Amino acid sequence: MTKVILLKELKAFTRTATRGLLLPVRPQEDDLSPPQPRPASVYQMRLPQFQDATRKAPYILHQVLTGKDAQPSGTQPEASAVVRTVFCVYHEDEEQGALSLLNLMEQLRIALLERPLLPGGFELDLKAGLESLAYPDDGEPRSAPYYLGEMISTWKLPPIGRLDAARVVRGAPPWDPKAMRIQETIAEKGSE
């Protein structure tokens, strides 16, 4: 499974986890009436256009920052990815804006901790933990009426199996699915 599929699954999970939280929407120049509150939109890697950074609020943006594939001696391959999740909300009231941001971040944080497994074999690395930050509004220029935060999570990915070149040369498939099942069965029986 790839990091692209991780982002797809994380996007679907995020939409489900946050769909009940309706947040204020920034009025646009051509709006005839105030826009209705809505759930945060969810994006992968980038917003559609750079200038959308404030126009799309409220939104959540998932970005893969790093990935690592390793195989410590004598163990199965391991793969992981670090994901940065950016949160942006809009609110005219500064106190309510900051609370809306915190509420959105908490909704996703709690959902991830309650259900740390995503379809496709992706698992939130609870040992690495979830790290979050709501950006303080103490500098110039002020960000109000937009409120931003981020969360960093580490995900265990299903490892990529190596191809067995000797099998391919003999005309066999590059791996033996039966052998993999036998090894898994032996490992399970050994842990009982």
Side-chain angles (χ1 to χ4, degrees):
M1 293 293 173
T2 69
K3 295 174 190 87
V4 173
I5 297 171
L6 168 63
L7 287 178
K8 178 183 165 214
E9 295 298 340
L10 194 52
K11 178 178 180 177
F13 179 89
T14 301
R15 281 185 171 162
T16 301
T18 61
R19 71 175 169 231
L21 184 59
L22 302 179
L23 299 163
V25 177
R26 174 186 171 215
Q28 304 298 314
E29 299 81 32
D30 55 349
D31 286 347
L32 299 176
S33 61
Q36 293 296 312
R38 65 168 172 80
S41 299
V42 184
Y43 300 96
Q44 302 167 90
M45 292 306 288
R46 299 273 185 253
L47 294 174
Q49 295 181 355
F50 178 74
Q51 52 270 44
D52 288 342
T54 55
R55 292 182 57 216
K56 294 289 186 184
Y59 65 84
I60 299 170
L61 172 65
H62 295 295
Q63 301 173 308
V64 171
L65 296 180
T66 63
K68 182 177 181 179
D69 293 281
Q71 184 170 5
S73 158
T75 65
Q76 293 291 332
E78 298 172 356
S80 64
V82 174
V83 175
R84 173 185 185 222
T85 301
V86 178
F87 300 83
C88 178
V89 299
Y90 166 87
H91 209 294
E92 288 296 331
D93 180 301
E94 291 194 33
E95 179 182 27
Q96 290 305 311
L99 287 171
S100 292
L101 172 66
L102 184 60
N103 196 13
L104 181 61
M105 293 175 70
E106 284 295 284
Q107 191 122 0
L108 183 58
R109 181 186 73 86
I110 291 167
L112 287 170
L113 292 172
E114 287 176 341
R115 295 178 299 278
L117 299 174
L118 296 178
F122 302 105
E123 179 182 354
L124 178 63
D125 187 344
L126 296 172
K127 186 175 180 184
L130 278 175
E131 192 173 341
S132 59
L133 165 72
Y135 299 137
D137 193 17
D138 57 2
E140 291 293 327
R142 293 177 48 118
S143 65
Y146 302 97
Y147 304 90
L148 303 164
E150 70 179 62
M151 182 182 298
I152 302 292
S153 56
T154 302
W155 292 86
K156 296 177 186 177
L157 311 177
I160 305 298
R162 290 189 191 170
L163 300 179
D164 185 345
R167 290 179 54 81
V168 173
V169 169
R170 292 189 309 240
W175 63 88
D176 183 359
K178 292 178 189 171
M180 294 175 87
R181 285 192 206 109
I182 290 170
Q183 290 173 348
E184 291 171 2
T185 303
I186 292 169
E188 286 177 13
K189 294 216 182 265
S191 64
E192 291 178 349

